[in-house]
Amino acid sequence: MKNILVVISLLVTAVAVMASASRTQANPEDAAVRQVVQHYLHGLKHNDVESLKKAFYPEAKLLFVKKDGQLGQLTQEQWYKGFAASAGKEEAGDLSITAVDITANAASVKVEEVYDTSKYTDYLSLLKLNGDWKIVNKIYTAEPVKRK
């Protein structure tokens, strides 16, 4: 009986590993999309505009809801100016990719950035243009971090 349980356990583990590998192989673009988003995360973490520029299409827009409930919008150049005062300074925070969805030459990536006093959730839209993935749109929201 003990041997049967061991064999079943090994089979379940093997199936789970194969299913995970199959999902990765099912979309070989996953690594390329994640690499672009890593440039984005590095740019945020280190206030590195050049890294951000590697990730974004030049005319990409950043959209958010303003405090008055209206649509807010920034161009890339407007957004980059906000990094000038802290250029090269590492931010204290945890940044991570929480979801990736890819269909053909379009992708959507959810990112969470948790800092001491706020949490940002970004939804990034990427397109594969001339063989390269680029972020073409970003919508985001910010929430205060609740202390326990």
Side-chain angles (χ1 to χ4, degrees):
M1 181 67 171
K2 201 175 200 182
N3 288 341
I4 292 174
L5 290 175
V6 170
V7 169
I8 291 172
S9 176
L10 289 173
L11 286 173
V12 168
T13 302
V15 168
V17 168
M18 288 175 17
S20 176
S22 173
R23 282 192 300 272
T24 301
Q25 291 172 354
N27 202 333
E29 296 294 335
D30 187 78
V33 167
R34 287 177 183 273
Q35 181 61 44
V36 170
V37 177
Q38 287 302 325
H39 285 297
Y40 168 68
L41 295 176
H42 177 86
L44 291 177
K45 182 78 171 171
H46 298 280
N47 290 286
D48 181 355
V49 170
E50 291 308 311
S51 188
L52 293 169
K53 286 182 178 181
K54 287 179 186 177
F56 279 89
Y57 184 74
E59 287 100 33
K61 301 287 187 227
L62 290 86
L63 305 169
F64 58 97
V65 178
K66 297 189 290 187
K67 290 180 182 178
D68 66 2
Q70 298 298 308
L71 179 66
Q73 180 173 308
L74 294 171
T75 65
Q76 289 300 299
E77 289 308 314
Q78 289 169 328
W79 189 51
Y80 295 151
K81 286 179 185 177
F83 292 94
S86 300
K89 177 185 169 202
E90 185 173 349
E91 299 291 337
D94 295 318
L95 289 67
S96 62
I97 296 171
T98 59
V100 176
D101 185 19
I102 304 167
T103 303
N105 61 359
S108 178
V109 178
K110 181 180 178 183
V111 170
E112 290 184 354
E113 307 148 37
V114 181
Y115 301 100
D116 286 340
T117 60
S118 60
K119 174 186 171 187
Y120 290 84
T121 302
D122 301 340
Y123 294 91
L124 307 173
S125 298
L126 293 86
L127 292 173
K128 189 172 185 181
L129 305 164
N130 298 316
D132 293 321
W133 288 97
K134 292 290 182 184
I135 300 169
V136 296
N137 190 54
K138 168 185 166 175
I139 62 171
Y140 67 96
T141 188
E143 306 169 90
V145 171
K146 296 180 175 103
R147 299 284 176 192
K148 292 183 180 182

